[in-house]
């Protein structure tokens, strides 16, 4: 379900937030190679009302404002062709970034990269998004972790980055997604480059002696040590 280019559309009330963030490194290269196409859309462009209102007060009372359903439905109708989830074309994912979502992990990134050819990311804000968006439009509700952001925009950047580098041919031949941390369930080992002595801090001798069996043993050991120290949960 991926053969062709991956289209990613982002719906936001802060389009300026994304002005240059996708113009560097792997994402920039993937865009130039037509592996991915990323478009940012201002939710205000899809409002019916002349004041371009996108939010309103919550029914039942409470603090803050709620993103209205209308501009989001109009945007999805425009971008996907329908606002009935059942009728989305194959390979379409409409993802709501929200603190209530399932947590975005490498496995989720792999799932999206493999199954989708069109992803729409809806960036939540304020106290939330009208739940009818979830009921009718959203195929996947995603959080990037247990901390409070001001909105879904930073999360959208994270999701785009993690997915793009998994697309076929997005990484140069020198690197492979399979060699990455998390692919083997451990954190990466430490790395050093020249000089061998920097301000009296020496590179571990084992890395300098060219014994690649010893080097691999050292790297595995250090990866385990780092994982035990920072991410005991990964050792299960
Ligand atoms: C008072 C309850 N809060 C929910 C836990 C309200 C609230 C906090 C933050 C409502 C929206 C937000 C804005 N955050 C996001 O839209 C968001 C988010 C996040 O805050 N953390 C991790 N992942 C994400 S994805 C979108």
């Amino acid at each position: 379900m991926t053969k062709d280019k991956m289209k990613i559309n982002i719906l936001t009330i802060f389009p300026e937030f994304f002005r240059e963030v996708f113009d560097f490194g792997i994402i920039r290269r993937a865009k130039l190679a037509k592996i991915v196409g990323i478009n940012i859309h201002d939710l205000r462009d899809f409002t019916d009302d002349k004041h371009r209102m996108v939010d309103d007060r919550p029914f039942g009372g409470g603090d803050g404002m709620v993103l209205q359903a209308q501009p989001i439905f109009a945007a999805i109708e425009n971008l996907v062709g329908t606002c009935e989830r059942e009728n989305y074309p194959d390979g379409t994912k409409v993802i709501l970034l929200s603190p209530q979502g399932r947590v975005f992990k490498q496995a989720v990134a792999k799932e999206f990269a493999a199954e989708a050819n069109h992803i729409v990311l809806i960036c939540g804000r304020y106290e939330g998004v009208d739940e009818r968006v979830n009921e009718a439009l959203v195929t996947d509700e995603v959080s990037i972790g247990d901390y409070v952001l001001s909105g879904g925009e930073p999360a959208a950047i994270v999701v785009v980055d993690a997915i793009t580098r998994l697309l076929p041919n997005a990484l140069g031949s020198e690197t492979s997604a399979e060699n990455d941390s998390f692919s083997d369930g451990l954190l990466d080992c430490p790395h050093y480059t020249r000089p061998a002595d920097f301000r009296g801090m020496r590179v571990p001798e084992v890395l300098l002696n060219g014994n690649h069996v010893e080097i691999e043993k050292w790297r595995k050991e250090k990866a385990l040590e780092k994982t035990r120290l920072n991410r005991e949960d990964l050792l299960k």
Side-chain angles (χ1 to χ4, degrees):
M1 193 40 57
T2 22
K3 283 277 156 310
D4 47 347
K5 177 174 178 175
M6 172 78 86
K7 283 187 299 174
I8 302 179
N9 286 295
I10 300 179
L11 290 180
T12 175
I13 59 164
F14 295 131
E16 297 292 292
F17 192 95
F18 298 94
R19 185 163 278 276
E20 293 183 308
V21 76
F22 300 129
D23 291 344
F24 302 89
I26 288 164
I27 298 178
R28 173 189 151 88
R29 233 189 23 202
K31 282 165 67 181
L32 290 170
K34 313 282 185 203
I35 292 165
V36 68
I38 306 170
N39 288 102
I40 316 301
H41 305 273
D42 188 343
L43 258 187
R44 291 189 197 284
D45 293 343
F46 296 95
T47 53
D48 282 340
D49 103 299
K50 68 177 193 300
H51 297 107
R52 309 209 329 143
M53 281 234 318
V54 292
D55 59 352
D56 208 335
R57 297 162 68 195
F59 277 123
D63 291 332
M65 301 288 270
V66 175
L67 276 186
Q68 290 172 298
Q70 181 275 318
I72 300 177
F73 272 67
I76 295 297
E77 179 124 66
N78 180 270
L79 295 170
V80 179
T82 171
C83 39
E84 285 152 25
R85 187 164 50 201
E86 299 72 29
N87 299 330
Y88 289 166
D90 284 351
T92 302
K93 301 239 183 235
V94 173
I95 300 170
L96 176 64
L97 286 325
S98 112
Q100 284 72 48
R102 71 173 158 141
V103 178
F104 189 68
K105 296 277 172 65
Q106 188 66 14
V108 181
K110 283 181 181 170
E111 176 194 316
F112 290 162
E115 292 178 4
N117 58 22
H118 183 196
I119 290 173
V120 182
L121 297 170
I122 304 170
C123 302
R125 272 274 154 185
Y126 313 105
E127 285 311 294
V129 177
D130 191 302
E131 187 62 17
R132 286 164 293 195
V133 166
N134 239 326
E135 290 165 5
L137 304 179
V138 170
T139 61
D140 301 84
E141 188 176 13
V142 166
S143 157
I144 59 164
D146 295 338
Y147 32 79
V148 181
L149 302 173
S150 318
E153 284 79 7
I157 294 169
V158 167
V159 169
V160 168
D161 190 294
I163 290 172
T164 299
R165 56 194 304 293
L166 288 174
L167 298 176
N169 307 316
L171 298 185
S173 47
E174 71 279 7
T175 39
S176 117
E178 276 316 300
N179 267 347
D180 287 351
S181 268
F182 301 115
S183 288
D184 63 358
L186 289 184
L187 300 183
D188 205 356
C189 62
H191 303 280
Y192 298 86
T193 187
R194 293 192 298 175
D197 185 322
F198 178 68
R199 300 187 176 196
M201 297 184 281
R202 299 274 314 161
V203 171
E205 205 56 41
V206 58
L207 298 178
L208 304 174
N209 67 17
N211 183 336
H212 291 283
V213 176
E214 281 291 300
I215 290 170
E216 265 323 293
K217 203 178 127 230
W218 179 88
R219 285 182 170 160
K220 189 79 193 197
E221 222 170 77
K222 289 294 173 181
L224 253 167
E225 195 177 292
K226 183 76 89 176
T227 307
R228 203 180 318 111
L229 182 69
N230 287 339
R231 293 296 306 275
E232 219 183 340
D233 59 295
L234 292 180
L235 294 174
K236 59 192 170 277

